[in-house]
Structures are given as C-alpha cells and as structure tokens.
Amino acid sequence: MTAEIISGTEIRKTILAEIKADVEEMKAKHGKVPGLVTMLVGKDPASVSYVTLKVKTALSLGFHEIQDDHPEDIPESDLLALIHKYNNDPDIHGILVQLPLPGHIDEQKVINAINPDKDVDVFHPINVGRLMIGGDDARFLPCTPAGIQEMIARSGTRTSGAEVVVVGRSNIVGKPIAMMMAQKGAYANATVTIVHTGTTDLSVHCKRADILIVAAGVPGLVKPEWIKPGATVIDVGTNRVGMNKTTGKAILKGDVDFDAAKEIAGKITPVPGGVGPMTIAMLMKNTLKAAQYALEDIR
Ligand code: GUN
C-alpha cells in the first residue's frame, strides 16, 4: 500500500494562519507586533535564499522585520556590537544570525552574544540546556526539530512507547530531536536511538524504527529495505543535487529513496514540500512566543 504523504506545505499553511491570528490579537491588545531581525553575512546562495524566505514570511504575518545584510569581511567585533544593539532594542524580539558565518568569525561567540530570550533559533547554550531539562523550561524549541515533532503530531502518529531512530547527530537537528522525542510528555515519550557515521550497521537500527527521522545530509542514504513496513519516515535531507535549467532552481533530493520508500512506509514526508517548509513556520512561532513573553514581562 502506498504511504500517506505528510505535507509540510499544507501543515505550514495552518500554522502560519494560527500565528497571523495571534499577531492580530497582540496588535489589538498591546499595540505591538513581533519583531525579527535577520542577519546575513556574505552572499552564499543557499543562505541568501533561506533568509529571503524568512523575511518574506515575517512580513506576510505582519511582523516588524529588519533585514540586516553585511559584506563577507565584516569584522567579528562589528557583528557582536550589532547583536548587543538588538539585544537592547525593545521592538526586536527575535535575533537570527544565518549560519554558516565566514571563517574569520567565531560562530559560537556570536551565538553566545545573543540574549537567550531573543534566541529564536534555540542555539544558545542556555536554551540548549533548557531543552535538555524539558517541560516548561524549554520555552522555545529549535525550529527544524519543532517542525518534525509538529508533523508527527498533526499526522496522528503514535509516539508514546514507539521506537524512534534518528540518523544524524548534528546540533541543529539530530541531537535536539532525539532529546525532544525522549522527553516525558505529549508527542514524545519514545524510546530513542541515535545512529551516526560511527555506527557499525545503520540498517539494523533503521529496520527497528516505528518512526525513522533521517538528518544525515547524504542523498538516498536510507534504502527502502531498511524501512519497517508501516513506519513513519521523516526525511530532513535537502540535498542540492543539480539545477533545473528552465527555472534556475536547485533540484532537491532527500536522504531517503522516496519513490521506493513510499511503497513500504505507513506515512512519509516528501522532499521538497516536507520538513523544509516547516522550519521557517516554527521560526515565526518562536518569534511570536518571544514577543508574548516580552510583552507579558515573563523572564
Ligand atoms: N543555517 C542552516 N540552517 C539554519 C538555521 O536553522 N538557522 C540559522 N540561523 N542558520 C541556519
């Protein structure tokens, strides 16, 4: 039987509509809207395209948005001074510094400089620690993992007691989603295994997964025979494998062989149109939350 497709494009629409309604309510109640600054250094094409989409989405929701672009050679001290300025700006609730940064800038130093209450990417060590503690301490959830959990929840996939296997141990996706799925609580409470480049046999673990989350960045890594029949497969891979000569757009391929996998899985996310569209929606949700906390003076 062909798997049910979990469409990030559709779920995103619902989430953005929910955020828009909350922005209207905030405007009526406080006379304020969420404020987001997006900081881009250099002209890496993938980063430019992500930031453009973030700016466009923020504006479509009625956010106050500052697009703060800088040349590749901006000194680290100038970037830190700008972050300090935005940390103290009451109209800015979220600060996003697009990564990667050029080699002369210490990425962790930049992340550490962001006020954790405005760290809508959830990269600051304080927020990573809060995520580990879980419950109410985790006020923001990192964007891609939050998008994944939202897709699992909204597709009606059972998580409590399920075997979740996460392929990849990055700080942005693998480690946080593994922690979130293992927490006690709704849409979690799972038994989680993390596999990575040091794992002897990936297939053995993947075959056990009721929910298989793949964030390895290797096109077609997961073979159809590694998928347990009926499993939910979440493909985080967005590998640029070429360029469409007519549209000039990148051709994206996931980490899972989608066409074959959809004949075995119970539910599956496509690439493109799966996890990708969710990430920016969750960034907007975090910015809204940051503004709500700030306006209600919750520290
Ligand atoms: N670069 C790739 N993904 C991300 C992300 O989620 N946030 C930021 N700031 N940079 C990125």
Side-chain angles (χ1 to χ4, degrees):
M1 209 179 81
T2 303
E4 176 189 325
I5 308 296
I6 309 175
S7 167
T9 312
E10 287 306 311
I11 299 175
R12 172 183 193 270
K13 272 189 209 156
T14 310
I15 292 172
L16 292 182
E18 290 166 3
I19 296 173
K20 204 164 182 178
D22 284 351
V23 173
E24 289 302 321
E25 195 181 311
M26 180 179 285
K27 212 157 138 183
K29 196 166 156 195
H30 297 284
K32 288 216 165 216
V33 295
L36 175 68
V37 59
T38 48
M39 303 179 76
L40 172 65
V41 178
K43 288 196 164 25
D44 170 70
S47 293
V48 169
S49 110
Y50 286 135
V51 168
T52 305
L53 206 52
K54 287 170 188 180
V55 170
K56 203 171 133 198
T57 310
L59 292 173
S60 78
L61 294 171
F63 285 15
H64 164 54
E65 160 67 41
I66 297 178
Q67 184 174 0
D68 193 6
D69 294 352
H70 297 279
E72 182 87 15
D73 60 356
I74 182 177
E76 182 186 90
S77 54
D78 287 10
L79 198 61
L80 293 172
L82 283 165
I83 291 173
H84 185 66
K85 182 184 87 168
Y86 293 128
N87 279 344
N88 292 306
D89 182 341
D91 291 329
I92 292 295
H93 307 103
I95 301 171
L96 179 132
V97 182
Q98 187 66 25
L99 304 178
L101 290 169
H104 68 281
I105 299 175
D106 181 341
E107 233 165 62
Q108 196 58 50
K109 200 164 164 187
V110 168
I111 290 168
N112 291 355
I114 298 171
N115 176 348
D117 293 341
K118 299 190 179 191
D119 167 39
V120 284
D121 258 328
V122 197
F123 291 165
H124 193 289
I126 287 192
N127 287 326
V128 176
R130 285 175 174 160
L131 176 75
M132 185 85 126
I133 295 166
D136 290 341
D137 281 295
R139 90 166 39 170
F140 303 123
L141 296 174
C143 305
T144 302
I148 294 169
Q149 197 173 37
E150 198 79 37
M151 293 178 103
I152 290 172
R154 294 194 192 220
S155 66
T157 302
R158 185 186 65 85
T159 60
S160 187
E163 289 282 342
V164 171
V165 174
V166 178
V167 184
R169 55 179 159 187
S170 68
N171 286 333
I172 295 187
V173 186
K175 283 188 216 166
I177 189 62
M179 187 47 59
M180 285 160 62
M181 295 311 294
Q183 298 285 10
K184 204 164 190 168
Y187 314 118
N189 206 30
T191 303
V192 180
T193 305
I194 307 180
V195 297
H196 44 71
T197 48
T199 302
T200 318
D201 187 345
L202 291 179
S203 70
V204 172
H205 300 280
C206 292
K207 282 176 186 170
R208 280 191 296 104
D210 300 310
I211 301 173
L212 181 59
I213 300 170
V214 193
V218 180
L221 173 74
V222 170
K223 309 292 173 248
E225 60 272 20
W226 297 7
I227 294 166
K228 182 172 167 180
T232 294
V233 178
I234 309 286
D235 188 353
V236 189
T238 44
N239 307 291
R240 290 164 182 253
V241 293
M243 176 86 88
N244 181 318
K245 289 204 179 83
T246 318
T247 63
K249 285 191 175 168
I251 299 169
L252 298 181
K253 195 169 180 320
D255 290 351
V256 178
D257 177 353
F258 177 79
D259 289 333
K262 76 177 192 316
E263 302 305 324
I264 301 163
K267 295 174 185 165
I268 189 165
T269 62
V271 177
V275 176
M278 295 295 293
T279 300
I280 293 181
M282 302 321 284
L283 173 72
M284 299 301 140
K285 197 163 170 171
N286 278 346
T287 308
L288 169 72
K289 259 197 206 170
Q292 286 167 334
Y293 279 117
L295 293 174
E296 292 179 16
D297 207 17
I298 299 168
R299 301 274 131 205

